[in-house]
């Protein structure tokens, strides 16, 4: 009897899409205004979904307060009000597309959550653009 | 050619998280302010999703008006403006976590919907906490 | 050059509409299912709006972090995960309609905010029902 | 390492639910007010989801700007501010239910998107009624 | 001690912007695709706001259930799943812009609501276009 | 018979709160993480509201397509995917608080809109923080 439980959090960050293997001209051709060298930013909405069996004593798959605290400690504290390219280790060499940010967040949280639970990340970069990882 | 169709409804209810096998101290330790003995409450948003083949004559998988009426008759009328712990049979002994409420609603609706259709419940307890059953 | 600045917070509470001067029959006639003796509940969305001149040194009418902390300390801590009728002094004799809750919150915050600023409360009881005080 | 990426667009259209094999009485019995002969309309919200591997050079599964342009050129330009029954070839004989509109949009976009990517359509007819195709 | 209370309802309708004093060319020049002769449509979101003193016995400015029923009886029943130009008396000669629809709804409701209360209409034609009447 | 008409647009930008008359220590004390020297960012939601009499021939207070184009040409093109502090003239010396951004946008649009119409700006920096100018 598996159930999915989800918690939504948010962080506000600056970023720039940029492949250091390319020159500026190529970066602008591929990433357009998202490659503005002075950065731009977003209100990221993050949904973390865990799948598993509810605990028969609590009726919880996972305590949402504990999940919220875990996301805040390990994700929000690192990314909120930061420049993703300059202020985090993760995106010094990795391009901070929504896809890559979602995978990074998944890796951070996957190792903090018991292996009996599946972990999935949904990340809204804007109200109209969002990604999900893993896809299945 | 299977399609999913979904209908969103809502109900407003009071509840308290509580395991009668535990003393008050243990309940507060596990459920925190959600275990307030005088109850608190939520605007629950409920999405019912049916999966099946569309009827070639109507183009409908299911008539959304009929689904809305079914949800209102069998779920909303029992839960809306009620105290889930005190006013419903379901949660007199079962802890009304979002997980357990979703499973109860699934059981109520599963037997009212033709077996050719899959039934899935998504329940938002708040804008930031929600559950889905079944998970697959 | 007056500007309005607003901060949105939320709390989840149980309540019951009830006039103690009336018998149960009259209460049910007037308040319907909102008068359920075992309570029901809502996710209240609260917007606090301050109107004033921006400080020329900060560019702020009011620091939103300070406003958020003020709302949490004086409103959310008293109302969140509570039964408004039983767990607060305010609604032991006052009927907790959205109108009355908004006026109570306005009175709490009005005395914590400098008189050079106007204070206005918007309170959503549900996505479809909301009130504003004062009206002008 | 498959990831889902989604883009949300919208269009405003008139339609009427109608099976030409039936007389008016039967159409009204089945479709109710949705069969009003003078049409009614909706603000349709359309989400197009692609599933695939991110390109290691860009970090994109698909460029959202390119996807947005593709949806606008092939879907929005045909449906926006149109009468689906009268102004499009698709629904001259096919009943424009949300289910059928989603399948038509999927067919239009499926042939414009590389076969290495899965395509899924989510279509909101109203905030409370929506469909997804394919279901799996 | 005046308070504003608001109730949100919705209706789905087809319409066409059209000035019968102009030829088709002029109508298209002014109204563009909104003048499509076969109509298009919207999910209209309607907010009705009443301003007045709360009743000391109920704590209500107005019973939201009564306001909802009034809106449904006098507005939604006339406009929902209708073609505003063809199916209503109001817009046979009056152009159904959001501005004009709001004024018509205000006139309908103004005479059903006690004169001690102010009435204001907010009408969303889309999530991004909306009007308010009266302005003050 | 004055009516308000509103158009919602958005832009994504990086910024940093900073008073150049203060040292870093003072800036951090006042603006906290909003003063991060490498910037952070937001999805700004901008609502432009015009108040005036509807044109009797069109039924429009203002053509929303024209207003949308005006906002895009004079505001979005300057601010979207930009660093407000570095990439715009406006905020090279003015602190880009939501209050100041709203006043700047008001000044830009006020001179593009006929004086018979009032202009008001509502700017959401996040879903929970927003400002309105002018206040009256």
């Amino acid at each position: 009897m598996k159930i999915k439980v989800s918690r939504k959090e948010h962080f506000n960050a600056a970023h720039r899409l940029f492949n250091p293997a390319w020159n500026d001209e190529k970066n602008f051709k591929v990433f357009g205004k998202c490659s503005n060298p002075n950065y731009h930013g977003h209100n990221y909405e993050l949904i973390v979904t865990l799948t598993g069996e509810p605990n028969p004593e609590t009726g919880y798959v996972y305590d949402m307060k504990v999940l919220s605290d875990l996301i805040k400690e390990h994700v929000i504290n690192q990314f909120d009000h930061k420049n993703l390219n300059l202020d985090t280790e993760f995106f010094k060499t990795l391009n901070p597309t929504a896809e890559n940010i979602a995978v990074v967040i998944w890796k951070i949280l996957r190792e903090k959550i018991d292996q009996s639970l599946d972990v999935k990340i949904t990340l809204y970069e804007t109200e109209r653009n969002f990604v999900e990882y893993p896809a299945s």
Side-chain angles (χ1 to χ4, degrees), chain A:
Chain A
M1 197 182 81
K2 290 206 169 178
I3 303 181
K4 286 180 190 293
V5 297
S6 295
R7 175 71 192 171
K8 189 177 173 189
E9 300 287 348
H10 63 270
F11 58 94
N12 309 320
H15 79 152
R16 176 199 184 186
L17 299 189
F18 181 70
N19 181 338
W22 298 340
N23 63 18
D24 277 2
E25 192 186 1
K26 179 79 185 288
N27 271 289
F28 279 111
K29 196 178 160 200
V30 173
F31 297 118
K33 61 186 178 179
C34 297
S35 196
N36 176 24
N38 287 327
Y39 311 97
H40 64 285
H42 297 291
N43 301 333
Y44 290 92
E45 292 283 346
L46 167 66
I47 299 171
V48 178
T49 301
L50 307 184
T51 306
E53 305 263 350
N55 177 317
E57 283 194 306
T58 61
Y60 280 164
V61 169
Y62 206 87
D63 184 328
M64 287 295 98
K65 178 71 172 63
V66 173
L67 181 57
S68 174
D69 290 347
L70 207 64
I71 301 170
K72 282 175 183 153
E73 182 183 353
H74 298 289
V75 179
I76 307 303
N77 282 353
Q78 291 198 72
F79 292 173
D80 188 36
H81 283 74
K82 295 289 171 60
N83 182 309
L84 298 179
N85 305 68
L86 300 180
D87 295 330
T88 76
E89 289 304 314
F90 305 105
F91 303 107
K92 290 212 161 138
T93 55
L94 181 68
N95 197 11
T97 59
E99 290 91 329
N100 282 338
I101 301 170
V103 173
V104 162
I105 293 173
W106 182 86
K107 285 179 182 167
I108 293 171
L109 292 174
R110 175 63 283 182
E111 65 179 38
K112 306 293 179 189
I113 307 272
D114 189 272
Q115 291 297 325
S116 65
L117 298 164
D118 286 334
V119 178
K120 182 183 161 187
I121 301 301
T122 303
L123 183 71
Y124 282 76
E125 190 173 82
T126 70
E127 199 195 350
R128 299 197 168 270
N129 290 341
F130 60 97
V131 304
E132 295 160 86
Y133 178 77
S136 57

